[in-house]
Amino acid sequence: MSTSKLMPLGVALFTLGVAAIVAMFIAGEQGLPAWVFAAGWLLAPAGLALGVFSAVRNSRRRV
């Protein structure tokens, strides 16, 4: 996968993770399925790491 496709994927994963975290705060601890908690814990950091990786890789000088 090229780095130009990695950044939008990272942004999408991060957005989904943050949306899950916001849903946790709105709904409280009760009433949410376990996958919402898993999404909040896993997608946001994974999306952030993928976005940083893509930005660093795109900024490297081509030789």
Side-chain angles (χ1 to χ4, degrees):
M1 184 175 277
S2 70
T3 55
S4 62
K5 294 181 182 178
L6 287 179
M7 183 59 81
L9 179 62
V11 169
L13 287 176
F14 184 75
T15 303
L16 288 173
V18 169
I21 292 170
V22 168
M24 282 188 259
F25 279 112
I26 291 173
E29 291 185 16
Q30 286 78 22
L32 289 175
W35 65 266
V36 175
F37 292 101
W41 276 89
L42 298 174
L43 291 180
L48 180 63
L50 190 61
V52 168
F53 172 76
S54 175
V56 168
R57 186 151 180 185
N58 279 337
S59 69
R60 291 181 57 195
R61 194 173 102 180
R62 308 260 189 256
V63 177

